[in-house]
Amino acid sequence: MMKTLVLSTEKEDIEKAGEILKNGGLVAIPTETVYGLAANALDSQAIKKIFIAKGRPSDNPLIVHIQKFSDISPLVKNIPEKARILAEKFWPGPLTMVLPKSDIIPKEITGGLDSVAIRVPKSETARMIIKSANCPLAAPSANLSGKPSPTKFEHIAVDLKGRVDAMINGEDCAVGLESTVISFCTEVPKILRPGGVSAEEIRAVIGEIEIDKAVLQHVENLENVASPGMKYKHYSPKAKIVLSELSFVDFQNLFKENKKAKALCFDGEEIFLETESISYGARYDSLSQAKNLFSALYETDQKGFDFVYARAPKKTGVGLAVYNRIIRACGFDVLKPKCKIVGLTGTTGSGKSTVAKELKKQGFPIVDCDKITKEKDTYSPLCLKKLAEYFGKDIAVNGELNRRLLAERAFVSKKETQKLNDICFPFIMEKVIDKINKYKENKSGVIILDAPTLFEANLDNFCTYLLVVTADINLRCERIVKRDGLSKQEAMTRISSQHNSEFFVDRADFVIDTSENEYIAQTNQFIKQIKED
Ligand code: TXA
Ligand code: MG
């Protein structure tokens, strides 16, 4: 066992770390993604120590970290134009580019490949250390091979003690999972590992890219994979983890059947689960999930969990990276729903009903919440009484609801709309659940739950998938004017009494934009995706 120095992020300590690295030593350093185990990238002997300290297979190549873009030149043969554009946009940051390597890169780094992975980290501490060492630093994540990647100093303090020359007691990692790895060694640039920069962000800058099939699928060890790192068992805590793609309501039921199971859930869900649980971020905020996932996996170890059901993140944006890590942590053990319940929602005037009609035409059963809202028997005498108490006696005369008057009073503000919802939802909900149960055995294996106020009614807890329909705001206004005979201003008031488009789009697994009128093609694309999912 060697003696391990614990260093701070003060100037003298950064210089000490630089000295150690220059002399061929190992230093664990914070970056904005995860903690890295760094060594001089141009020193073969130092690199070999990394593999020993981590217990890492030596054919799994390392990422080389540089302080600034211009330091890249000696390390690569050439820089394709698109790589240059990405560097400009995302460096410093959580993006790693795989490029043809120059001769000064030792073969120990690349595991024999003729390409090298390079990134400029955003963490100030990391860049100060590279500058102080005055050489590029090879650094894999600082976990022991197979374990979750460390995102806080506490995560490495015990495991690496006695295995490295020094470790920096630095900041918690802001991104929380590793960089996106994109290769420029193929005709079309290819994402080998999703990470802190999303595929959508990259596409927006350089156009067409591919995503390696190993990102979401299990690839056999012996198969030839583009990114060797993808073939190993990864990110696993001690507990057996099973990923649940069920709705939250069905997720809750798992713990009734299996009393010993614990939960990895989203913020705020803990109190609704009859078991001990750890949350790993907000349900509709992939960035917060990215930041907390590894930390939550460490916590399952600390708490001594044996068996855990985990809630599934969505697969869009940075969510794809979260999904990629969690599916490896559970060894691809996924619980799929027998029937997929698709919440169909969106802003008013977006064309949701048109999409619903198309889905119905294609054979999917629809639970139409709007229709249920309009059905007379939904408004029981008790419901009418509650509405009259709040919105005025003239709302219901002789047991007959005056819908026009109610709309006038309820859609004037978010607060009034909320009140309407609070009163009616329990009554509507009962009917919705009945219908869902009735359709559960249908042969398409999918139910469409068409609900404009899906989130307000917490109906998203019944869904396994969210389909959002959206359109340009002026177009929506025009459609409402035409459809409901309102003035432009009345239509705008109705639009602004709802959540805005971003609110819906942020929550969606799939978005259909009807501004361009090719909604049928988009609907078919959605059907294809849900069938493959
Ligand atoms: O955020 C990160 O990237 C962190 C921090 C420390 O910078 N580092 C990191 O390194 O995650 P590591 O070694 O755990 O993962 C490196 C990944 C592996 O999946 C590896 O297979 C891939 O990058 N990789 C490295 N060089 C490659 C190459 N020449 N071709 C293809 N994949 C490569
Ligand atoms: Mg790693």
Side-chain angles (χ1 to χ4, degrees):
M1 288 266 269
M2 61 173 101
K3 184 167 162 21
T4 300
L5 273 180
V6 175
L7 301 173
S8 74
T9 55
E10 298 294 317
K11 192 160 176 277
E12 313 86 81
D13 276 9
I14 298 283
E15 272 161 20
K16 225 178 258 175
E19 264 322 293
I20 295 172
L21 289 162
K22 237 181 250 170
N23 293 321
L26 294 186
V27 183
I29 64 169
T31 83
E32 79 281 19
T33 56
V34 299
Y35 270 73
L37 182 52
N40 179 351
L42 304 179
D43 177 344
S44 307
Q45 291 312 313
I47 304 300
K48 282 184 188 150
K49 291 187 201 162
I50 294 182
F51 290 99
I52 295 168
K54 267 189 70 112
R56 176 174 173 126
S58 62
D59 68 337
N60 191 1
L62 307 176
I63 293 172
V64 174
H65 299 69
I66 54 177
Q67 199 231 337
K68 54 184 186 308
F69 181 40
S70 57
D71 296 344
I72 199 174
S73 316
L75 309 178
V76 297
K77 281 222 171 83
N78 58 67
I79 307 164
E81 185 52 23
K82 286 182 177 172
R84 203 177 285 278
I85 295 171
L86 287 188
E88 229 160 74
K89 174 88 183 170
F90 297 110
W91 279 358
L95 180 74
T96 296
M97 295 199 263
V98 176
L99 300 163
K101 82 175 194 73
S102 74
D103 295 337
I104 69 165
I105 299 285
K107 64 178 188 313
E108 284 77 11
I109 286 196
T110 64
L113 299 171
D114 48 18
S115 58
V116 62
I118 300 183
R119 91 176 182 101
V120 180
K122 191 165 198 161
S123 157
E124 281 296 326
T125 314
R127 272 182 298 140
M128 281 190 312
I129 293 169
I130 303 170
K131 193 167 184 194
S132 159
N134 197 27
C135 58
L137 297 182
S141 48
N143 50 301
L144 299 183
S145 210
K147 292 278 141 198
S149 301
T151 57
K152 298 171 192 277
F153 176 68
E154 299 103 88
H155 297 158
I156 57 167
V158 178
D159 279 2
L160 289 187
K161 200 166 167 218
R163 292 174 166 259
V164 299
D165 297 287
M167 37 195 181
I168 308 275
N169 184 353
E171 70 270 11
D172 291 354
C173 303
V175 176
L177 45 75
E178 301 87 341
S179 60
T180 303
V181 178
I182 185 165
S183 172
F184 285 90
C185 299
T186 40
E187 182 87 2
V188 178
K190 192 184 227 181
I191 291 188
L192 304 181
R193 178 180 74 182
V197 176
S198 71
E200 292 88 339
E201 285 174 288
I202 293 175
R203 268 196 201 107
V205 183
I206 59 165
E208 193 194 359
I209 53 167
E210 284 174 1
I211 298 181
D212 197 274
K213 69 176 195 302
V215 165
L216 290 177
Q217 281 170 30
H218 180 53
V219 176
E220 288 303 322
N221 264 2
L222 297 174
E223 206 174 311
N224 196 12
V225 288
S227 173
M230 284 296 191
K231 69 186 179 185
Y232 300 105
K233 187 168 164 134
H234 249 114
Y235 314 115
S236 316
K238 290 190 195 101
K240 162 77 187 152
I241 299 189
V242 174
L243 187 63
S244 156
E245 295 198 344
L246 310 182
S247 69
F248 182 62
V249 171
D250 288 337
F251 183 74
Q252 284 177 297
N253 289 331
L254 292 174
F255 304 95
K256 297 197 174 104
E257 289 152 22
N258 184 345
K259 300 271 184 209
K260 286 197 184 129
K262 311 287 190 229
L264 256 184
C265 62
F266 297 129
D267 297 348
E269 293 179 346
E270 302 91 330
I271 55 165
F272 299 105
L273 296 169
E274 287 172 30
T275 188
E276 203 179 338
S277 52
I278 298 169
S279 100
Y280 75 94
R283 177 165 176 186
Y284 295 118
D285 181 355
S286 299
L287 294 180
S288 89
Q289 293 164 19
K291 188 167 157 59
N292 294 307
L293 175 67
F294 285 140
S295 199
L297 291 176
Y298 270 96
E299 212 180 318
T300 63
D301 273 355
Q302 276 160 3
K303 295 201 161 153
F305 288 1
D306 294 319
F307 186 91
V308 176
Y309 284 119
R311 293 270 280 139
K314 62 177 193 164
K315 296 176 197 153
T316 55
V318 171
L320 182 67
V322 181
Y323 193 95
N324 169 275
R325 305 307 190 272
I326 203 166
I327 203 173
R328 280 171 172 72
C330 42
F332 293 87
D333 200 342
V334 182
L335 213 50
K336 296 259 179 198
K338 277 202 201 78
C339 177
K340 292 172 188 160
I341 302 182
V342 178
L344 170 62
T345 189
T347 48
T348 172
S350 61
K352 185 175 63 60
S353 317
T354 320
V355 171
K357 255 184 228 144
E358 182 59 28
L359 288 167
K360 190 171 178 184
K361 214 164 88 192
Q362 302 226 22
F364 298 104
I366 315 270
V367 176
D368 183 342
C369 295
D370 235 5
K371 194 164 147 225
I372 293 175
T373 320
K374 285 174 188 150
E375 280 163 1
K376 242 181 165 176
D377 64 344
T378 306
Y379 299 86
S380 62
L382 179 61
C383 179
L384 290 181
K385 183 168 163 264
K386 289 188 172 184
L387 284 172
E389 271 165 18
Y390 188 85
F391 290 104
K393 281 211 179 78
D394 49 347
I395 286 291
V397 179
N398 297 333
E400 208 42 62
L401 181 65
N402 185 337
R403 301 185 54 83
R404 170 103 204 170
L405 200 59
L406 181 61
E408 255 170 44
R409 291 180 192 166
F411 296 132
V412 290
S413 68
K414 277 197 173 131
K415 181 173 160 269
E416 295 303 288
T417 309
Q418 186 60 44
K419 192 67 203 178
L420 172 70
N421 293 341
D422 289 346
I423 295 172
C424 298
F425 281 154
F427 299 96
I428 297 168
M429 194 69 104
E430 222 173 286
K431 281 185 87 174
V432 169
I433 295 169
D434 273 359
K435 293 225 160 136
I436 290 177
N437 288 334
K438 195 179 107 200
Y439 290 140
K440 264 199 169 152
E441 304 294 328
N442 88 85
K443 66 174 188 304
S444 74
V446 175
I447 297 174
I448 309 293
L449 178 56
D450 178 352
T453 51
L454 186 92
F455 298 105
E456 290 85 343
N458 295 323
L459 281 171
D460 51 343
N461 287 336
F462 290 85
C463 299
T464 49
Y465 206 87
L466 296 181
L467 171 60
V468 160
V469 184
T470 174
D472 172 76
I473 190 162
N474 295 316
L475 187 61
R476 285 164 49 209
C477 183
E478 253 172 59
R479 286 175 183 163
I480 297 168
V481 167
K482 227 190 248 164
R483 182 188 68 192
D484 298 347
L486 299 180
S487 72
K488 223 171 166 178
Q489 200 185 347
E490 283 170 315
M492 274 301 179
T493 306
R494 196 175 286 183
I495 284 175
S496 57
S497 77
Q498 262 198 337
H499 294 294
N500 59 19
S501 293
E502 287 84 73
F503 175 92
F504 286 97
V505 170
D506 281 351
R507 284 158 177 72
D509 294 294
F510 197 94
V511 177
I512 295 180
D513 187 334
T514 63
S515 309
E516 306 288 342
N517 231 354
E518 22 147 77
Y519 70 92
I520 293 190
Q522 293 177 61
T523 307
N524 288 334
Q525 184 58 36
F526 158 75
I527 292 170
K528 186 166 169 264
Q529 186 164 323
I530 188 98
K531 282 190 175 151
E532 283 167 5
D533 206 57

